[in-house]
């Protein structure tokens, strides 16, 4: 907890201890990020003792505490200078410079990735979806390249030049349609993976 001291007429009248409550899914989100091989760093304006207690409770790897909002971007830059790709998760207001500096900014309000709910598990979902999307794009490019590498020479009459059949344009049109449908079905597999 962070202590706040109440003083009346120069005399200590009381102490109030304030602490942010952890979001219900914080520990689960950190565990899921670790399973994805992602190092979790807490960058906070809280004092060292409070930050370390929270980090220990949820399993955060590294803590950078006592950081003013304006200095968070410098800390993100320092991590990047260490050769790390940084995804910054923040509130979008105090963290705006750091979100802009990061390789990927994730926030409730305005960033590269905008979360629609205040659920930290959505960060994990966004990362998993982005990895699945890149994989899907590579698969679609692979299928399209392979299909066209085989299909275009046949459509040009390579087989016919060596005594083989000439490709009927209707079959070529069907094959091209099938190629488009297969790419679409593969892309739709992302919906199945998310459920």
């Amino acid at each position: 907890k962070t202590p706040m001291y109440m003083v009346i007429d120069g005399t200590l009248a009381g102490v109030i201890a304030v602490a942010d409550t952890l979001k219900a899914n914080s520990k689960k989100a950190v565990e899921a990020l670790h399973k994805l091989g992602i190092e979790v760093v807490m960058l906070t304006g809280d004092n060292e003792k409070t930050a370390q207690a929270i980090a220990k409770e949820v399993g955060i790897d590294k803590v950078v505490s006592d950081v003013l909002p304006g200095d968070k971007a410098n800390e993100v830059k320092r991590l990047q200078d260490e050769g790390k790709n940084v995804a910054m998760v923040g509130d979008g207001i105090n963290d705006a410079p750091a979100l802009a500096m990061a390789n990927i900014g994730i926030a409730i309000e305005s960033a590269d990735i905008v979360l629609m709910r205040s659920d930290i598990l959505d960060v994990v979902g966004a990362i998993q979806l982005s990895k699945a999307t890149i994989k899907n794009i590579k698969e679609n490019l692979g299928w399209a390249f392979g299909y066209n590498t085989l299909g275009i020479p046949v459509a040009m009459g390579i087989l016919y030049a060596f005594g083989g059949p000439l490709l009927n344009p209707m079959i070529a049109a069907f094959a091209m349609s099938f190629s488009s449908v297969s790419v679409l079905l593969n892309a739709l597999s992302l919906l199945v993976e998310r459920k």
Side-chain angles (χ1 to χ4, degrees):
K1 294 181 174 68
T2 301
M4 293 189 301
Y5 302 98
M6 293 183 358
V7 177
I8 300 174
D9 295 326
T11 305
L12 181 64
V15 177
I16 299 173
V18 179
D20 288 333
T21 55
L22 286 174
K23 294 189 183 287
N25 291 325
S26 296
K27 185 172 182 162
K28 191 174 178 181
V30 170
E31 289 170 356
L33 290 169
H34 284 153
K35 286 180 184 172
L36 292 171
I38 296 172
E39 177 187 16
V40 181
V41 177
M42 180 166 62
L43 184 58
T44 180
D46 288 339
N47 66 59
E48 175 82 18
K49 194 171 187 179
T50 301
Q52 289 294 345
I54 291 169
K56 184 177 180 183
E57 189 173 341
V58 297
I60 291 173
D61 302 306
K62 183 178 176 183
V63 174
V64 181
S65 60
D66 298 304
V67 181
L68 296 173
D71 294 331
K72 288 184 179 181
N74 295 334
E75 291 296 329
V76 169
K77 179 78 170 104
R78 189 180 55 73
L79 289 169
Q80 291 171 326
D81 289 344
E82 292 175 8
K84 296 178 180 176
N85 288 318
V86 178
M88 171 73 182
V89 181
D91 65 14
I93 300 166
N94 289 331
D95 297 331
L99 288 165
M101 175 64 69
N103 299 86
I104 298 171
I106 303 172
I108 296 291
E109 293 181 6
S110 62
D112 299 317
I113 298 174
V114 177
L115 301 178
M116 302 307 289
R117 302 177 302 166
S118 184
D119 186 345
I120 196 72
L121 276 176
D122 287 346
V123 172
V124 177
I127 291 169
Q128 289 172 328
L129 181 59
S130 68
K131 286 184 176 196
T133 301
I134 294 297
K135 178 182 173 216
N136 192 281
I137 289 168
K138 288 178 180 177
E139 289 171 351
N140 285 343
L141 286 172
W143 282 109
F145 180 76
Y147 171 82
N148 286 319
T149 300
L150 295 174
I152 290 173
V154 172
M156 289 172 44
I158 292 289
L159 296 179
Y160 185 73
F162 296 101
L166 188 60
L167 186 64
N168 184 317
M170 288 178 51
I171 294 173
F174 174 77
M176 185 52 96
S177 297
F178 179 74
S179 170
S180 298
V181 169
S182 65
V183 166
L184 177 65
L185 290 174
N186 191 36
L188 289 173
S189 70
L190 287 171
L191 292 173
V192 175
E193 287 182 33
R194 290 289 299 150
K195 291 185 179 180

